[in-house]
């Protein structure tokens, strides 16, 4: 590829007005050198890498497993306190979800509509204003009214 | 061979669902699956499962523990010396546990741990090329549920799939057992379970219940628990006489 392209000579690149181009050429050269150097280390697999997959090596996430430390009926009060706390947190989370009777999707949809409405409304209002101005222009320029004490 | 969710898979099988899906959706590959370009192969034998939204994994029977980052394990301290303890967690290599990785531990104030003690710890580093590393504190330096397990309990091993069965958030086993007796359990993902109850009989009963749960269906666990409760009552009354 580089053979086809005409290369700028060194002396031209050294000129003052060629500063930017020089930087660009140097950068390109650096890139090419890097590719040459590491090219054979890039495997076929790395080239085909896609972002579609996440690897999760633990079952804990896949099966939603609990921590393996449990205590019941006062055998270890400390652990039981922690378990209770966790349960409370979960309850709170569940409640928060319940409290919002409008789902996030609905809300988003609603907002979208609202935005559209306002846009059209604004246009409508603008046109109305114009019309009003056309029909009955202000008869007089409003005068300054002296405040009365 | 191409397989889909719910099938028995063998190492080398390709997962059909994933290759045919064209939707732009991030897919999570759990244990037992690996990717080669855009095809997904199973590398464990078991049943292919899927949980919502798009988590695929192979549910397999396994006894050998392979460490994974973030998992809780029950380990036995085998060596003490210098800055770290060596802990046997049932993996191919012993894990290291720093003496500073305990709540309230400082260079002067070392935790009191002897060789042979049991610890419930979390895996901080688990890489296939490196020695696994354990900690007994969370990121805030608090012990929470981790730490040394008292020597009054009992330790036994079981398969990794049983651990997953009893730790499933839908598993009724612990709650059922808790109706009739007080007990404490530390179940590590490495297939080691430590149990402690008020008496030796009760401890053995809990251990038996856990081991028996391996082959009991979800509906049979209630019966299993009541059976154990009954036997326990009988033996206790026998002791009194």
């Amino acid at each position: 590829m580089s053979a086809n392209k005409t290369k700028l000579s060194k002396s031209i690149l050294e000129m003052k007005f060629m500063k930017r181009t020089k930087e660009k050429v140097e950068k390109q050269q650096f890139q090419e050198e890097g590719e040459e150097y590491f090219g054979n280390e890039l495997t076929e697999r790395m080239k085909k890498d896609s972002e579609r997959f996440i690897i999760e090596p633990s079952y804990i996430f896949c099966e939603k497993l609990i921590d393996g430390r449990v205590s019941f009926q006062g055998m270890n009060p400390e652990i039981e306190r922690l378990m209770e706390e966790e349960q409370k947190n979960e309850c709170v989370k569940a409640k928060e979800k319940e409290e919002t009777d409008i789902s996030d999707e609905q809300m988003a949809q609603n907002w979208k509509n609202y935005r559209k409405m306002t846009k059209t409304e604004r246009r409508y209002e603008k046109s109305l204003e114009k019309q009003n101005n056309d029909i009955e222009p202000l008869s007089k320029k409003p005068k300054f009214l002296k405040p009365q004490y | 061979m191409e397989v889909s969710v719910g099938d028995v898979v063998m190492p080398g099988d390709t997962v059909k669902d994933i290759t045919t899906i064209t939707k732009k959706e991030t897919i999570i590959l759990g244990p037992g699956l690996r990717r080669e370009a855009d095809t997904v192969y199973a590398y464990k034998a078991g049943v292919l499962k899927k949980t919502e939204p798009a988590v695929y994994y192979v549910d397999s029977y396994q006894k050998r523990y392979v460490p994974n980052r973030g998992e809780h394990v029950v380990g036995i301290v085998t060596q003490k010396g210098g800055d770290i303890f060596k802990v046997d967690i049932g993996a191919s290599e012993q894990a290291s546990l720093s003496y500073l990785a305990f709540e309230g531990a400082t260079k002067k104030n070392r935790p009191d741990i002897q060789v042979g003690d049991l610890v419930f710890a979390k895996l901080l580093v688990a890489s296939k090329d490196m020695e696994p590393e354990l900690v007994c504190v969370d990121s805030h330096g608090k012990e929470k549920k981790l730490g040394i397990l008292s020597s009054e309990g009992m330790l036994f091993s079981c398969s990794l799939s049983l651990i997953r069965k009893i730790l499933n958030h839908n598993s009724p086993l612990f709650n059922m057992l808790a109706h009739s007796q007080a007990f404490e359990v530390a179940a590590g993902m490495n297939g080691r379970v430590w149990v402690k109850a008020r008496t030796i009989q009760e401890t053995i009963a809990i251990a038996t219940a856990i081991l028996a749960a391996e082959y009991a269906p979800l509906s049979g666990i209630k019966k299993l628990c009541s059976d154990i409760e009954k036997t326990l009552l009988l033996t206790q009354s026998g002791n009194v006489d």
Side-chain angles (χ1 to χ4, degrees), chain A residues 134-149:
Chain A
D134 289 344
I135 292 165
E136 33 180 327
L138 289 173
S139 51
K140 251 187 194 174
K141 224 185 173 183
K143 244 184 185 173
F144 177 73
L145 294 174
K146 204 180 172 187
Q148 287 172 349
Y149 295 100

Side-chain angles (χ1 to χ4, degrees), chain A residues 45 48-76 78-80 82-83 85-86, chain B residues 18 21 26-31 35-38 51 57-58 60 68 71-72 144-145 149 164 167 169 174 178-179 182-187 194 197-198:
Chain A
R45 205 176 141 206
K48 281 183 187 168
D49 207 15
S50 65
E51 286 175 0
R52 259 184 84 202
F53 300 104
I54 297 173
I55 309 286
E56 171 59 56
S58 175
Y59 277 110
I60 292 182
F61 174 79
C62 298
E63 294 193 329
K64 297 198 178 65
L65 304 182
I66 55 166
D67 290 348
R69 193 85 168 89
V70 285
S71 164
F72 296 98
Q73 292 193 22
M75 202 60 203
N76 189 337
E78 183 65 18
I79 300 288
E80 273 173 44
L82 288 168
M83 281 168 69
E85 248 172 51
E86 265 174 28
Chain B
I18 300 175
I21 286 175
T26 318
I27 293 165
I28 296 172
L29 298 181
R35 177 190 68 90
E36 209 73 53
D38 262 350
T51 50
Y57 66 95
V58 178
S60 65
N68 284 318
E71 288 186 347
H72 292 109
K144 289 279 171 71
K145 295 175 175 178
L149 300 170
R164 287 193 279 121
L167 290 188
H169 65 292
F174 287 145
H179 284 317
F183 67 95
E184 197 186 341
V185 169
W194 171 90
R198 289 218 180 89

Side-chain angles (χ1 to χ4, degrees), chain B:
Chain B
M1 210 178 90
E2 283 194 331
V3 289
S4 43
V5 174
D7 287 354
V8 172
V9 299
M10 298 296 274
D13 287 347
T14 54
V15 181
K16 197 173 150 198
D17 298 21
I18 300 175
T19 26
T20 50
I21 286 175
T22 47
K23 239 195 305 177
K24 276 233 166 174
E25 186 183 31
T26 318
I27 293 165
I28 296 172
L29 298 181
L33 294 175
R34 71 170 57 163
R35 177 190 68 90
E36 209 73 53
D38 262 350
T39 24
V40 174
Y41 294 97
Y43 71 90
K44 277 184 186 175
V47 180
L48 184 70
K49 294 214 168 157
K50 183 194 177 189
T51 50
E52 288 310 317
V55 184
Y56 292 85
Y57 66 95
V58 178
D59 184 12
S60 65
Y61 179 84
Q62 194 175 331
K63 277 182 158 178
R64 163 65 67 188
Y65 179 61
V66 180
N68 284 318
R69 190 170 192 271
E71 288 186 347
H72 292 109
V73 291
V74 175
I76 307 166
V77 178
T78 54
Q79 241 184 72
K80 196 176 129 185
D83 299 346
I84 54 164
F85 303 110
K86 285 275 178 223
V87 182
D88 172 31
I89 57 168
S92 61
E93 201 179 353
Q94 297 206 336
S96 65
L97 172 62
S98 164
Y99 75 92
L100 288 171
F102 288 87
E103 184 176 332
T106 54
K107 283 202 169 178
K108 274 188 184 166
N109 181 22
R110 286 179 172 240
D112 179 32
I113 288 183
Q114 307 302 324
V115 170
D117 277 355
L118 296 179
V119 285
F120 190 62
K122 190 178 187 153
L123 276 157
L124 186 70
V125 174
S127 141
K128 57 182 173 184
D129 309 314
M130 267 160 54
E131 177 184 55
E133 192 184 331
L134 300 170
V135 281
C136 281
V137 283
D138 64 0
S139 51
H140 302 289
K142 290 274 177 285
E143 199 171 57
K144 289 279 171 71
K145 295 175 175 178
L146 307 170
I148 309 178
L149 300 170
S150 89
S151 54
E152 286 148 36
M154 172 181 141
L155 180 79
F156 63 93
S157 313
C158 62
S159 73
L160 301 188
S161 33
L162 175 58
I163 292 288
R164 287 193 279 121
K165 190 170 181 181
I166 61 171
L167 290 188
N168 199 303
H169 65 292
N170 290 325
S171 165
L173 180 71
F174 287 145
N175 287 325
M176 291 270 187
L177 288 171
H179 284 317
S180 58
Q181 47 197 303
F183 67 95
E184 197 186 341
V185 169
M189 285 302 287
N190 57 343
R192 288 209 180 120
V193 186
W194 171 90
V195 195
K196 186 185 162 195
R198 289 218 180 89
T199 62
I200 294 174
Q201 279 94 344
E202 276 181 18
T203 307
I204 294 171
I206 300 286
T208 319
I210 291 174
L211 284 174
E214 178 149 27
Y215 302 110
L218 224 62
S219 52
I221 283 180
K222 195 171 179 183
K223 190 180 172 294
L224 187 137
C225 290
S226 62
D227 279 355
I228 281 175
E229 207 177 303
K230 237 182 266 168
T231 334
L232 196 62
L233 274 176
L234 283 175
T235 52
Q236 271 168 348
S237 59
N239 279 353
V240 172
D241 295 340

